[in-house]
Amino acid sequence: MKYLLVLSFFLFAVAVQSHAQQAQSPMVPGFGGVYEIPDADLLPDPSLEYRMVIDATSGPSDPSEVNPSLYRLARTLNLHAVGGVPQENIKVVAVIHSKATPSVLSNEAYQKHFKTDNPNDGLIRALSDAGVDIYICGQSLLARGYAEDPLHSDIKVSISAMTILTEYQMKGYALMSF
């Protein structure tokens, strides 16, 4: 009887494990893993063009951690991809400002300010490789004292976050705030 109980438990554990999924990150490899939901009642329409402008303002509580705004952006891209939207139908512009500002510094500048490598370096590169245009608010660079620091090579500078957000919304981009 005891043997049968142990065997039943083992078989149950194997069955549960076989149904467990691994997180996927098809559009931003290595970042923002998501799970496929095969029985979902609503999936993104793969025939639509998804245009998003991302307002990224949050920063990590510890400078050695990845910026949560950038991580959520990676998840958003991966969710659309797992949902069946082709990459060419996903257009994303992100603007970094407020507490997220230091995330876009070059690794050397980040080390100077925080005594640690920039944990966002690979994520920014992966987002850029996925086609995301990433801007830093020039106002935030000045106001937060980073104007003289070099930026990550995949970052562009805008006059402000506000002008990007209004411009892209007027162009039909959906606003998402992280």
Side-chain angles (χ1 to χ4, degrees):
M1 180 70 164
K2 189 175 184 180
Y3 172 76
L4 186 57
L5 183 62
V6 170
L7 179 62
S8 296
F9 178 77
F10 175 76
L11 291 174
F12 175 75
V14 168
V16 168
Q17 184 68 17
S18 69
H19 292 305
Q21 285 190 41
Q22 293 292 323
Q24 301 175 42
S25 49
M27 201 161 159
V28 188
F31 299 97
V34 297
Y35 300 97
E36 187 175 357
I37 310 297
D39 298 330
D41 292 317
L42 182 63
L43 293 169
D45 181 343
S47 69
L48 294 177
E49 181 178 80
Y50 289 83
R51 294 181 294 172
M52 299 169 253
V53 60
I54 309 299
D55 183 17
T57 61
S58 64
S61 56
D62 180 336
S64 67
E65 296 175 356
V66 168
N67 181 295
S69 292
L70 297 175
Y71 184 80
R72 284 186 207 108
L73 173 51
R75 284 183 48 82
T76 299
L77 295 173
N78 289 329
L79 283 165
H80 282 80
V82 165
V85 179
Q87 185 169 348
E88 60 269 13
N89 287 2
I90 302 172
K91 311 291 186 227
V92 179
V93 173
V95 61
I96 312 298
H97 62 115
S98 189
K99 294 177 184 173
T101 302
S103 301
V104 301
L105 296 175
S106 70
N107 194 52
E108 296 75 25
Y110 201 89
Q111 286 174 339
K112 180 180 87 174
H113 288 281
F114 301 106
K115 310 299 183 239
T116 187
D117 286 335
N118 187 341
N120 306 289
D121 187 69
L123 176 51
I124 290 170
R125 185 163 292 108
L127 288 168
S128 182
D129 288 347
V132 178
D133 288 325
I134 308 171
Y135 290 89
I136 181 65
C137 169
Q139 304 300 308
S140 288
L141 282 175
L142 285 165
R144 294 186 176 269
Y146 299 114
E148 300 302 318
D149 290 309
L151 303 175
H152 187 286
S153 61
D154 291 316
I155 300 298
K156 303 170 195 166
V157 179
S158 170
I159 189 171
S160 73
M162 290 179 218
T163 56
I164 286 179
L165 295 172
T166 55
E167 178 179 340
Y168 278 90
Q169 287 179 83
M170 292 175 79
K171 290 179 177 179
Y173 281 60
L175 173 64
M176 298 182 74
S177 297
F178 299 142

